[in-house]
Amino acid sequence: MTVNIRVQRVYDSPSAADGARVLVDRIWPRGLRKDAAHLDRWAKDVAPSTELRTWYGHDPAKFGEFRHRYAAELAEPGRCEALDQLRELAADGTLTLLTATRELDLSQAAVLAELLQQDPR
C-alpha cells in the first residue's frame, strides 16, 4: 500500500492537497493562533520528549542519533498507539505532518514520515 505523507511548516498556508493536517510538535508554535492553524489534530503524543528535544537542539551533527533515540521513544506503549493513529489517517488519504521547525529535513516530522512510509510491523 502506498501512502502519501507530506511534511511542511505549520506556518505555511494550508492547501486542498494537504489531506489530514496534524501538528506533531509538543509545544504550540510561537505566534500562531489556534484558529489560524487549520489542524485536524494536534498529536503531542508522537512528539519527542522534552529531554530528547533539548538534547538534540536541531544540531545537524546529532540528527542520526536523534533519529535512533526518537524511534526508540515511539516504540513506547502510549506513543506507539499515537503512531498507529497517524498510520490510520495516512491509510485514509494524504497526511500532512506539520512542525514549526525551519529545517524540515532535520525534524521529528521527517523521521515520522519515514517511519510511516515503512511497513508498520
Side-chain angles (χ1 to χ4, degrees):
M1 173 177 78
T2 303
V3 293
N4 186 13
I5 299 172
R6 302 167 47 156
V7 175
Q8 73 181 48
R9 293 195 73 213
V10 69
Y11 301 108
D12 295 343
S13 297
S15 154
D18 287 347
R21 293 172 47 87
V22 179
L23 178 63
V24 294
D25 289 351
R26 181 169 303 283
I27 299 170
W28 187 259
R30 189 173 287 155
L32 183 67
R33 291 187 346 258
K34 290 193 180 188
D35 63 337
H38 303 284
L39 298 180
D40 293 297
R41 185 176 295 176
W42 182 9
K44 291 186 242 183
D45 291 343
V46 297
S49 66
T50 301
E51 296 79 15
L52 180 57
R53 187 174 46 81
T54 303
W55 169 83
Y56 174 45
H58 295 281
D59 178 351
K62 293 181 177 178
F63 185 68
E65 180 63 20
F66 168 76
R67 178 187 286 141
H68 176 73
R69 292 182 186 190
Y70 183 37
E73 282 190 353
L74 289 170
E76 296 170 2
R79 294 171 184 266
C80 189
E81 292 166 13
L83 187 60
D84 285 343
Q85 290 174 359
L86 290 181
R87 277 195 180 94
E88 290 172 16
L89 279 175
D92 289 342
T94 302
L95 173 62
T96 299
L97 303 175
L98 302 168
T99 180
T101 304
R102 286 189 184 98
E103 295 288 333
L104 293 177
D105 293 341
L106 300 175
S107 72
Q108 76 275 7
V111 176
L112 278 171
E114 185 180 304
L115 290 171
L116 291 168
Q117 299 271 4
Q118 297 171 358
D119 189 329
R121 303 289 168 225

